[in-house]
Amino acid sequence: GAAGELGRVVPAADLLAAAAAAPAKRKVVVTGANSGVGLEGAKLLAAAGHDVVCACRTAAKAEAAAAACGGKAVPAVCDLADLKSVRAFAASVKDVDTLVLNAGLALSTKDTAAQRTKQGFELTIGTNHLGHMALYELLEKRLAAAKGQPRLVVTASPVHDPKSGGGDVGSKATLGDLEGLAQVDFDMVDGGAYDPDKAYKDSKLCNILFTAEASRRLAKLNPKATANAFSPGLIPAPDGFFKYQNKFFAKTFNTIATAAGVAETAAFGGSCLAFMAASPSLDAVTDGWYDTDPPGKHQLRAHDPSDEARDVAKQKKLWDLSAALIAKASA
């Protein structure tokens, strides 16, 4: 497990060296590989000789991502907001030993009404959690059957934790008793009124609960298989993660965060992703949570996620309710 890892610090230089140091060539699928951390991570993994699939929402984005990887990666369409697209993509994946669920959507905090996926889920949870979970369920057996040391890597965020620096600003993440997931057309997981800020934080909490349950499921199928979550830190580039927010806010925030020394770059985030995907030092580590703690110090540190994220009953309940929703929407 990850217990022996707690407190382990991985400095930036070690993160960068990790992708190239992997002894065996990996077959890596990266969602959201068209920008930011996903693109930088895919470029590092491809440069290190791994077989990379850039899974993106549109063919144009996927082709641009593969080209940015020096033509060494394979472009593929996987729109996480459409389960039909997820199924088509999963069917095209012959081999995978490293599945990186990285794509993330943060909608404008000014939105007053929930946007919907093709199947009618709230867009943030539908993309960041349900779309990824659907993909994992479709690829689980193929991933577990891979030779070597199969890995699931999930990009999460410290905002899942109300006690973290970003998690205690604005709305706080909590999934309540998950009553929203009892119906397809939920606005919020906890059954409350739509709140875009909370929806994003909740989606990141879902990511960590999901990773914990996936780590147990994978271990049953293959004792060498692992699942870990990480955060690449606060990367406030206005055209990246903050692209749906007010442009003035995004630029100002970027300037302040960078000046305050708490910001990271997409290149650093990419090295974190490549480390999680390929570093031999993580071969026996599962159900771990790594983030840039303290912020802006260009390092990953293994530590415990939030109390709610460690609730085993909630991990299982989220899985069961989500799987039922996906099955119902796919029928």
Side-chain angles (χ1 to χ4, degrees):
E5 284 279 290
L6 290 180
R8 176 188 176 194
V9 169
V10 190
D14 296 6
L15 291 169
L16 257 179
K25 188 156 107 167
R26 288 186 164 271
K27 296 188 167 77
V28 191
V29 168
V30 183
T31 67
N34 49 287
S35 65
V37 173
L39 178 59
E40 297 299 329
K43 289 198 298 205
L44 285 170
L45 289 163
H50 301 287
D51 293 330
V52 178
V53 175
C54 293
C56 308
R57 199 167 33 135
T58 65
K61 284 179 191 288
E63 279 149 22
C69 292
K72 292 179 180 164
V74 175
V77 175
C78 180
D79 180 354
L80 293 161
D82 181 2
L83 296 178
K84 200 171 158 188
S85 173
V86 173
R87 286 197 296 274
F89 169 66
S92 77
V93 177
K94 298 286 169 273
D95 294 307
V96 58
D97 58 29
T98 311
L99 177 59
V100 184
L101 302 179
N102 162 76
L105 175 73
L107 296 171
S108 170
T109 48
K110 298 224 177 340
D111 288 356
T112 50
Q115 296 181 54
R116 302 280 164 194
T117 69
K118 281 276 198 302
Q119 283 72 33
F121 305 134
E122 186 278 314
L123 190 57
T124 313
I125 295 285
T127 303
N128 299 357
H129 167 56
L130 293 168
H132 273 145
M133 179 160 165
L135 179 58
Y136 170 80
E137 284 190 303
L138 292 162
L139 294 179
E140 182 178 60
K141 288 194 169 61
R142 252 165 287 174
L143 181 65
K147 289 188 183 69
Q149 197 264 329
R151 282 186 191 187
L152 171 69
V153 176
V154 180
T155 305
S157 165
V159 301
H160 82 273
D161 185 351
K163 291 182 187 145
S164 76
D168 68 358
V169 178
S171 307
K172 318 277 190 291
T174 176
L175 305 182
D177 64 3
L178 308 169
E179 67 185 86
L181 294 187
Q183 59 264 341
V184 171
D185 60 351
F186 64 92
D187 278 349
M188 300 293 288
V189 175
D190 63 7
Y194 182 63
D195 173 346
D197 177 27
K198 186 175 186 298
Y200 177 73
K201 290 170 179 159
D202 285 353
S203 78
K204 296 290 115 181
L205 178 52
C206 288
N207 288 159
I208 295 190
L209 290 157
F210 161 84
T211 305
E213 181 63 14
S215 73
R216 288 189 287 269
R217 296 172 63 96
L218 270 172
K220 281 183 191 144
L221 296 169
N222 180 346
K224 284 187 170 167
T226 63
N228 291 292
F230 83 104
S231 165
L234 174 66
I235 302 167
D239 54 344
F241 178 74
F242 283 98
K243 63 177 174 283
Y244 294 106
Q245 311 304 337
N246 170 297
K247 281 287 172 271
F248 175 74
F249 161 81
K251 286 200 173 77
T252 309
F253 189 88
N254 188 16
T255 308
I256 294 168
T258 306
V262 296
E264 297 293 354
T265 62
F268 168 82
S271 71
C272 295
L273 185 152
F275 168 81
M276 297 301 297
S279 173
S281 74
L282 292 173
D283 277 358
V285 180
T286 197
D287 192 18
W289 164 236
Y290 293 77
D291 79 346
T292 52
D293 182 54
K297 295 289 178 276
H298 322 308
Q299 63 181 33
L300 278 184
R301 188 171 78 89
H303 62 105
D304 281 327
S306 74
D307 297 343
E308 190 171 350
R310 284 180 284 165
D311 181 336
V312 177
K314 192 163 273 192
Q315 292 162 1
K316 292 184 188 313
K317 187 177 180 185
L318 176 72
W319 192 283
D320 293 344
L321 288 171
S322 301
L325 263 188
I326 291 163
K328 193 172 169 182
S330 306

